[in-house]
Amino acid sequence: QVQLVESGGGLVQPGGSLRLSCQASGNIFSINVMGWYRQAPGKERELVADIGSSGMTNYADSVKGRFTISRDNHKNTMYLQMNSLKPEDTAVYYCKAQIMRYYYSNFMHYWGKGTLVTVSS
């Protein structure tokens, strides 16, 4: 079994910061791309940022310059540092990872259950 567990969400005022974490655990041989997605009420889930195993990153235009994605491959953990938060950043944030469970298996996509970020005064 593989589990992705997000943490770090909460209530923050506009202009504030939060740091999200996503830890993968279980039978894991290798992790390829990891990413953060978010879903606001009444909207579709969207990509926020992702990061490859070598550290190459990709950001949605709406968060460029404010959010920073990173990962610690030794800990199978990914982070999202969110600065200058805006009310429109309010959403449930999910992590996703492409994980190979055994050296002879294919990469499969796994999702966490999400953590709520609320930006409000």
Side-chain angles (χ1 to χ4, degrees):
Q1 278 285 25
V2 170
Q3 277 191 318
L4 297 180
V5 179
E6 303 97 336
S7 61
L11 173 64
V12 64
Q13 292 186 342
S17 298
L18 280 176
R19 188 191 194 211
L20 305 183
S21 299
C22 169
Q23 183 168 32
S25 62
N27 292 322
I28 297 172
F29 178 76
S30 178
I31 302 178
N32 192 13
V33 178
M34 301 183 78
W36 288 100
Y37 291 73
R38 67 186 181 187
Q39 187 165 19
K43 294 188 176 181
E44 293 188 353
R45 193 173 297 188
E46 62 176 2
L47 174 69
V48 176
D50 59 25
I51 182 167
S53 56
S54 63
M56 184 171 293
T57 60
N58 173 52
Y59 294 91
D61 288 343
S62 59
V63 306
K64 281 181 181 176
R66 300 188 297 123
F67 291 9
T68 302
I69 190 171
S70 60
R71 63 191 282 176
D72 183 333
N73 292 329
H74 295 293
K75 296 181 179 179
N76 289 339
T77 301
M78 173 179 63
Y79 307 96
L80 185 68
Q81 178 66 44
M82 305 186 294
N83 298 328
S84 302
L85 282 161
K86 304 175 181 179
E88 51 262 43
D89 295 317
T90 295
V92 178
Y93 284 70
Y94 299 90
C95 69
K96 177 185 174 183
Q98 296 175 356
I99 295 175
M100 179 186 290
R101 295 185 61 190
Y102 309 100
Y103 79 95
Y104 54 80
S105 65
N106 296 321
F107 282 101
M108 294 183 65
H109 296 282
Y110 294 87
W111 288 90
K113 294 183 178 180
T115 185
L116 177 63
V117 172
T118 303
V119 184
S120 175
S121 55

